[in-house]
Amino acid sequence: MSMSHALLISLLEKPSSGFELARRFERSIGYFWHATHQQIYRELGRMEAAGWIEGQAADDAGRTRKRVYQVLPAGRGELARWTAEPAEHLLPRDAFTLKVRAAAVMEELDLRPEAQAYMALHQARLAEYQAIEQRDFPELEGLSRRDRIQRAILQRGIRFEVCEIEWAQTLLQALE
Amino acid sequence: MSMSHALLISLLEKPSSGFELARRFERSIGYFWHATHQQIYRELGRMEAAGWIEGQAADDAGRTRKRVYQVLPAGRGELARWTAEPAEHLLPRDAFTLKVRAAAVMEELDLRPEAQAYMALHQARLAEYQAIEQRDFPELEGLSRRDRIQRAILQRGIRFEVCEIEWAQTLLQALE
DNA sequence: TGCTCCATGTAACACGTTACATGATTGC
DNA sequence: GCAATCATGTAACGTGTTACATGGAGCA
């Protein structure tokens, strides 16, 4: 599983506490990997036991239990190993397409309201991604390698939302 | 969970045994919902207990344990209920984008071989989908509602593979 | 004082994966 | 007779989800 690797990447970007990671998994990294705080704490415990990360009481901990984790060389090595490993590329499960297939086999179902909502959702996401692009990459020239890659990730989101919106229109026609 | 609904749809398309379902989940319906035979048998058992489906010894069972399941009215009702229910639309987890993000934060990683393989994979899938389209929908006129919807599902796959291929090219440029 | 947010955890359960077991049928 | 395939299942384990518990900090 890649939960641990998602956490290693987040911690390389910025050493953090479990709670801070949980918040980031609802935002940036959450765009392609989601996690609940329970999964995060469980995995942080395992990774610390494995020597991949190290946690220390945070500077601003006061009397709280707040601990900040950072990646150790073994964790960096594990991330490099995993990245080079050939992947499986299973198709993700998609409940909406399943519903469309249900509508194909059950004539009495009218999926048009759902399809409309689906299109609206992806239009909203597209707008969100485009706003991030404008904010983070106003200039296209002179980006560092890191920024070029970050921007490519964002472009993937944008491209896919456009696909979804166009497809939703095709679908709505088929549902008439 | 939608595992049970995926099975109901498959059984509406064609009453089947668990083994036949397992095979179909490696093909057609497997394009957007995968399952192992253990999940399938477990779920068939539950659905029969719930009165959604009914299993009977197959005509061609001989002395084997082969049982063919069909959907009961309660199962049809459940499928209709689920289809109309508002969905969550969580973003799917995507290990490859995670690897790209790892490459952004670890300069020493060269992800170009992986990115090349990724592009090749999606080119192969695109070819596969296009072959199915040619085979199943040679004529665009006069399709039934059911066929129009089936074709729309296929178009989604095609559209997405094109997206992936184009994106992989963007990514390869960013990785230079 | 009470409310909200920060921060970490336990417990129980559902879901998913892998390995293994069993036995009938089909074709060589 | 043997191997491959059809067909169904158990067991063990790991992952993911939900509910609940605990306590500090900041603020009105």
Side-chain angles (χ1 to χ4, degrees):
Chain A
M1 262 306 299
S2 321
M3 186 67 246
S4 52
H5 303 105
L7 288 169
L8 286 173
I9 293 165
S10 271
L11 289 176
L12 279 176
E13 289 170 349
K14 183 172 173 1
S16 314
S17 68
F19 194 83
E20 285 162 357
L21 286 168
R23 265 185 314 195
R24 302 224 312 269
F25 270 76
E26 284 166 9
R27 311 183 73 255
S28 55
I29 200 150
Y31 289 127
F32 44 89
W33 204 273
H34 61 91
T36 62
H37 80 272
Q38 292 82 350
Q39 281 176 281
I40 290 168
Y41 286 122
R42 189 195 282 176
E43 203 58 42
L44 285 174
R46 278 181 214 166
M47 289 200 291
E48 189 167 28
W52 293 2
I53 60 172
E54 180 187 45
Q56 285 170 307
D59 293 342
D60 62 342
R63 250 168 304 173
T64 71
R65 282 182 291 177
K66 182 171 180 178
R67 300 184 78 216
V68 168
Y69 292 89
Q70 59 180 322
V71 180
L72 296 177
R76 255 188 115 80
E78 168 56 24
L79 195 51
R81 189 203 60 72
W82 172 75
T83 306
E85 172 183 282
E88 274 214 53
H89 299 296
L90 261 181
L91 288 160
R93 291 183 172 186
D94 175 19
F96 184 69
T97 316
L98 213 51
K99 288 188 181 185
V100 176
R101 190 142 175 169
V105 80
M106 292 175 73
E107 303 258 329
E108 68 270 33
L109 293 181
D110 181 10
L111 205 68
R112 283 173 295 182
E114 282 280 319
Q116 289 285 1
Y118 191 77
M119 186 154 73
L121 172 80
H122 288 286
Q123 278 164 341
R125 275 194 195 153
L126 175 60
E128 190 185 345
Y129 293 165
Q130 284 172 334
I132 295 171
E133 191 187 27
Q134 292 256 318
R135 189 194 64 197
D136 292 355
F137 307 102
E139 291 293 329
L140 300 188
E141 299 299 315
L143 292 176
S144 65
R145 185 189 113 104
R146 182 166 170 160
D147 282 345
R148 286 200 316 272
I149 296 175
Q150 299 280 18
R151 182 161 179 273
I153 292 172
L154 191 52
Q155 301 254 294
R156 182 172 190 265
I158 290 171
R159 208 178 266 277
F160 270 72
E161 296 307 331
V162 170
C163 261
E164 286 283 26
I165 294 162
E166 288 175 1
W167 176 69
Q169 279 158 353
T170 306
L171 177 64
L172 279 165
Q173 280 165 27
L175 290 173
E176 284 304 323
Chain B
M1 263 309 296
S2 321
M3 185 67 244
S4 52
H5 303 105
L7 288 169
L8 286 173
I9 294 165
S10 271
L11 289 177
L12 278 177
E13 289 171 349
K14 183 170 173 5
S16 314
S17 68
F19 195 83
E20 285 161 358
L21 286 167
R23 265 186 313 197
R24 300 220 320 263
F25 269 77
E26 284 165 11
R27 309 184 73 255
S28 56
I29 200 149
Y31 289 128
F32 43 90
W33 205 272
H34 61 91
T36 61
H37 80 272
Q38 291 83 350
Q39 282 176 281
I40 290 169
Y41 286 122
R42 191 194 280 177
E43 204 58 42
L44 286 174
R46 280 181 211 165
M47 289 200 291
E48 188 166 30
W52 293 1
I53 60 172
E54 179 187 46
Q56 285 169 306
D59 293 341
D60 62 343
R63 250 167 305 173
T64 71
R65 282 183 292 177
K66 182 171 181 179
R67 300 184 77 218
V68 168
Y69 293 90
Q70 60 180 323
V71 180
L72 296 176
R76 254 188 116 80
E78 168 56 26
L79 196 51
R81 190 203 59 73
W82 172 74
T83 306
E85 172 183 282
E88 275 215 52
H89 299 297
L90 261 181
L91 289 159
R93 291 184 170 186
D94 175 19
F96 184 69
T97 316
L98 212 52
K99 289 189 179 183
V100 176
R101 189 141 176 169
V105 79
M106 291 175 74
E107 303 259 328
E108 68 270 32
L109 292 181
D110 181 9
L111 206 67
R112 282 174 295 183
E114 281 279 319
Q116 290 284 2
Y118 191 76
M119 186 155 73
L121 172 79
H122 288 286
Q123 278 165 341
R125 274 194 195 153
L126 175 60
E128 191 185 342
Y129 293 164
Q130 283 172 335
I132 295 171
E133 190 187 26
Q134 292 256 319
R135 189 195 64 198
D136 291 355
F137 306 103
E139 291 293 327
L140 301 187
E141 300 299 315
L143 293 175
S144 65
R145 185 190 114 104
R146 182 167 172 160
D147 281 346
R148 287 201 313 274
I149 297 175
Q150 299 278 19
R151 182 161 180 273
I153 292 171
L154 191 52
Q155 301 254 293
R156 182 172 190 266
I158 291 171
R159 207 178 267 276
F160 271 71
E161 296 307 329
V162 170
C163 259
E164 287 282 25
I165 294 161
E166 288 175 1
W167 177 68
Q169 280 158 353
T170 306
L171 176 64
L172 279 166
Q173 281 165 25
L175 290 173
E176 284 303 321

